Amino acid sequence: MSYNLLKGKKGIIFGALDANSIAWKTAERVHEEGGTFVLTNAPIALRMGQINELAEKTNSQVIPADATSIEDLENLVAKATEVLGGKLDFVLHSIGMSVNVRKGNHYTNQNYNYTEKGWDVSAVSFHKTMNVLYNKDAMNEWGSIVALTYMAAQRVFPDYNDMADNKAYLESIARSFGYFFGKDKNVRVNTISQSPTPTTAGQGVKGFDGFMAYAEKMSPLGNATAEDCANYTIAMFSDLTKRVTLQNLFNDGGFSNMGVSDSVMDTFTEEK
C-alpha cells in the first residue's frame, strides 16, 4: 500500500545488486511511495547484477561509482543532483564485503590486505560518501542518510568474521558524522540493524541457514524480511522521523533484547 510518503523526494541508493538485496527492495518501495532516485554500485557489481532491470522498472538512472573513491563519489553526487534536478533528500548505504570471508580465512588468521579492503568497502566508504555530501552541500535540510548494519557490531557471531568489526566502525561513523550533519545541515544519519536476511551477500556467510533458523527461534516476532527493512527505511526517509538521528535502530523481531527463548530452550530439553 502506498501513502506517497516520499512524494517529491529524491536521493541515491547504493548497493542494489539483485532482487534479493535489501537495497533493491527499498528502491521498489521508494518508487511506490513517489520518490525518485539514481542507483549506484561498483562497476564490477553492476556487471554481476541485474540493476538495469530495476532501473527500467523504477524509471531510474544507473551511475557507476566505486564508493571507496572520493573522485567517483564526487562524480556520482554531481550527476545525481543534475539528473534529479536539485539537492538530495535521502541516501541509502547498503554496501558490505569481506574478502577474508570469501576466501575462507578464519578471524584469527586474517590476510590483513583483505581486512583493509573489506574495511574500506564496508565502513570507510560510508564516511567518504558523507564527506562528499557534506562538503558539496548536496543534502536538503531534514534529509535522511541511512546505512545498513548488523548486531555482530555489538555481540559475537564467530562466522561473521571481520565484518563484525566493519559494522562496529560503520555505526561509529554514523554517530560521529551524524553529529556534524545534524548540527550544521539539519540532516539525519542513522543505521538500521537488520535480522539475518537471505541476500546474495548474506548467504555467503558460513552456516547461514542454521543461523537464520536460530534467529527465527530467538525472535518473538520472527526474523525481519528484506521487505520489512525496506519499509523501515521508507519511514526513516520520510518526514515522520524528522527528529530521529544518531541512532542504531534494530529491525530484528526483538532478537537484540532476548537472552533466550522457549523455542531455543526446547532444543536443549530432553523429553522425559
Side-chain angles (χ1 to χ4, degrees):
M1 183 178 293
S2 173
Y3 299 94
N4 288 319
L5 289 174
L6 302 182
K7 186 176 182 180
K9 294 188 181 297
K10 46 196 178 292
I12 299 175
I13 295 178
F14 287 79
L17 180 65
D18 56 37
N20 293 320
S21 70
I22 293 172
W24 185 293
K25 303 293 187 187
T26 302
E28 291 177 329
R29 288 292 292 117
V30 170
H31 180 65
E32 291 168 0
E33 293 294 342
T36 57
F37 49 86
V38 298
L39 298 163
T40 187
N41 213 324
I44 188 171
L46 296 181
R47 292 195 295 271
M48 293 169 56
Q50 298 96 44
I51 197 170
N52 288 328
E53 175 188 331
L54 177 63
E56 184 175 351
K57 180 179 181 180
T58 59
N59 193 30
S60 305
Q61 186 167 325
V62 179
I63 303 174
D66 177 354
T68 67
S69 165
I70 291 290
E71 183 180 357
D72 277 19
L73 289 168
E74 288 177 341
N75 178 66
L76 168 66
V77 169
K79 287 188 175 179
T81 52
E82 179 183 350
V83 167
L84 297 171
K87 293 184 180 183
L88 309 173
D89 300 291
F90 61 85
V91 173
L92 175 64
H93 180 282
S94 180
I95 305 171
M97 183 273 292
S98 168
V99 187
N100 280 307
V101 170
R102 289 181 180 178
K103 298 292 187 180
N105 294 333
H106 194 269
Y107 184 80
T108 60
N109 189 31
Q110 296 183 32
N111 176 314
Y112 291 108
N113 289 328
Y114 294 166
T115 304
E116 186 174 344
K117 178 64 176 176
W119 173 71
D120 197 15
V121 171
S122 304
V124 183
S125 66
F126 190 42
H127 194 288
K128 291 176 179 177
T129 297
M130 288 196 285
N131 175 298
V132 172
L133 294 168
Y134 180 92
N135 287 308
K136 297 295 184 182
D137 196 25
M139 297 291 297
N140 279 318
E141 276 200 318
W142 306 112
S144 177
I145 301 170
V146 172
L148 300 185
T149 185
Y150 181 57
M151 196 174 62
Q154 292 85 34
R155 301 188 187 178
V156 177
F157 295 91
D159 290 328
Y160 204 61
N161 209 305
D162 57 339
M163 275 301 300
D165 303 330
N166 296 338
K167 291 300 188 184
Y169 192 72
L170 177 84
E171 292 175 17
S172 180
I173 289 169
R175 291 186 294 270
S176 297
F177 218 129
Y179 166 76
F180 295 103
F181 243 131
K183 179 176 69 75
D184 299 336
K185 311 281 189 180
N186 281 340
V187 170
R188 298 163 277 160
V189 181
N190 297 283
T191 53
I192 295 177
S193 188
Q194 168 71 1
S195 294
T197 309
T199 61
T200 300
Q203 293 179 76
V205 176
K206 180 183 175 183
F208 183 80
D209 290 344
F211 183 57
M212 280 277 296
Y214 170 73
E216 180 74 21
K217 286 180 178 291
M218 277 287 289
S219 307
L221 297 180
N223 289 331
T225 66
E227 289 82 2
D228 292 330
C229 191
N231 286 327
Y232 200 179
T233 306
I234 295 301
M236 296 309 300
F237 285 167
S238 78
D239 290 337
L240 299 177
T241 54
K242 283 177 68 173
R243 303 290 180 180
V244 181
T245 195
L246 312 185
Q247 302 301 308
N248 182 44
L249 303 161
F250 291 97
N251 185 50
D252 62 1
F255 183 98
S256 50
N257 273 326
M258 290 297 295
V260 70
S261 69
D262 292 337
S263 296
V264 169
M265 286 300 295
D266 286 345
T267 67
F268 296 99
T269 303
E270 294 181 0
E271 294 185 7
K272 296 184 179 180

